[in-house]
Amino acid sequence: GNSVTQMEGPVTLSEEAFLTINCTYTATGYPSLFWYVQYPGEGLQLLLKATKADDKGSNKGFEATYRKETTSFHLEKGSVQVSDSAVYFCALGVISSGSARQLTFGSGTQLTVLP
Amino acid sequence: DGGITQSPKYLFRKEGQNVTLSCEQNLNHDAMYWYRQDPGQGLRLIYYSQIVNDFQKGDIAEGYSVSREKKESFPLTVTSAQKNPTAFYLCASSIGADSGNTIYFGEGSWLTVV
């Protein structure tokens, strides 16, 4: 079956530090990969996505590259800000046997950035 | 503005009661989804619907029911059969079933059993 394994948190960084949140996956077929961000008390917002191998998704200074050879989609940011404090979810999307796409989520990584 | 509206934001349920969470989208999306999120965990799929008058069970459908009478609406009923309903519920939608299409989420509804 499909699964996503995320780096366990919580992660605490100082402002302007470099961020990496690891994400690896197992999937049948050719999934699309996503990073979602959830701020306290809110729903999830799409941060970035990649739909095929070697694609790089980027948004708001965050980047992730779809690595088929290592089945990974690690999230990186060169210089984090306090406003980046949130929970980050890695997810994969595939067409299910019923032809309806479903997302499989990782367990989430809590990031706290200190000033 | 286009988006997904969930209501209520907070809901309290007594033991043995059914409650219905509303989800409306004006994005003209065909597919809609309900997820459950428990503290410190990822999201789990409850039900999904690809088109009007059709829906399928997700991974944790027991104790829940849905309907899809209109394209823009996908209400979720949490029945008394759901043994542990306290959670954060997220409604979502996407243009269609293609794996590259983005899924958009509502703001969520907090359900607490008292």
Side-chain angles (χ1 to χ4, degrees):
Chain A
N2 302 323
S3 68
V4 175
T5 302
Q6 258 183 261
M7 171 177 148
E8 288 191 18
V11 174
T12 302
L13 297 173
S14 297
E15 204 164 26
E16 299 184 359
F18 184 84
L19 168 71
T20 300
I21 300 178
N22 290 339
C23 172
T24 57
Y25 67 90
T26 58
T28 55
Y30 301 95
S32 295
L33 299 172
F34 305 82
W35 275 101
Y36 281 85
V37 58
Q38 184 178 34
Y39 298 100
E42 298 183 10
L44 276 67
Q45 302 173 26
L46 178 69
L47 182 59
L48 53 85
K49 72 176 186 180
T51 58
K52 61 183 188 296
D54 299 324
D55 270 2
K56 177 185 282 187
S58 61
N59 185 29
K60 299 180 182 179
F62 291 89
E63 292 183 341
T65 301
Y66 189 159
R67 302 287 188 198
K68 188 177 178 182
E69 63 276 12
T70 55
T71 62
S72 65
F73 193 54
H74 304 321
L75 182 68
E76 296 182 336
K77 186 175 185 182
S79 176
V80 293
Q81 305 300 312
V82 172
S83 57
D84 293 327
S85 298
V87 181
Y88 292 82
F89 291 93
C90 185
L92 68 85
V94 295
I95 301 291
S96 73
S97 60
S99 297
R101 181 169 71 97
Q102 301 180 25
L103 284 180
T104 300
F105 285 86
S107 57
T109 301
Q110 171 76 54
L111 170 66
T112 301
V113 180
L114 303 176
Chain B
D1 288 345
I4 301 171
T5 302
Q6 288 187 239
S7 63
K9 177 78 171 178
Y10 300 95
L11 183 62
F12 296 89
R13 190 195 92 171
K14 293 182 180 179
E15 294 275 358
Q17 276 186 338
N18 292 355
V19 293
T20 297
L21 306 179
S22 169
C23 179
E24 303 280 332
Q25 54 98 0
N26 60 5
L27 301 168
N28 201 32
H29 286 172
D30 287 314
M32 296 188 74
Y33 313 81
W34 274 106
Y35 289 88
R36 170 181 170 141
Q37 184 180 24
D38 293 283
Q41 298 186 30
L43 279 68
R44 295 181 290 169
L45 182 67
I46 304 172
Y47 268 97
Y48 61 92
S49 168
Q50 298 182 79
I51 57 172
V52 174
N53 293 322
D54 180 70
F55 49 84
Q56 304 294 328
K57 293 181 179 179
D59 299 322
I60 55 165
E62 185 176 352
Y64 299 97
S65 66
V66 293
S67 63
R68 186 84 187 277
E69 296 177 2
K70 298 185 295 183
K71 186 176 184 178
E72 59 270 23
S73 179
F74 191 41
L76 173 73
T77 297
V78 185
T79 74
S80 57
Q82 170 50 236
K83 299 304 180 188
N84 185 22
T86 296
F88 188 47
Y89 291 87
L90 286 161
C91 179
S93 70
S94 63
I95 291 175
D98 185 86
S99 65
N101 289 332
T102 299
I103 287 184
Y104 296 90
F105 286 83
E107 295 281 310
S109 294
W110 290 93
L111 173 62
T112 302
V113 173
V114 296

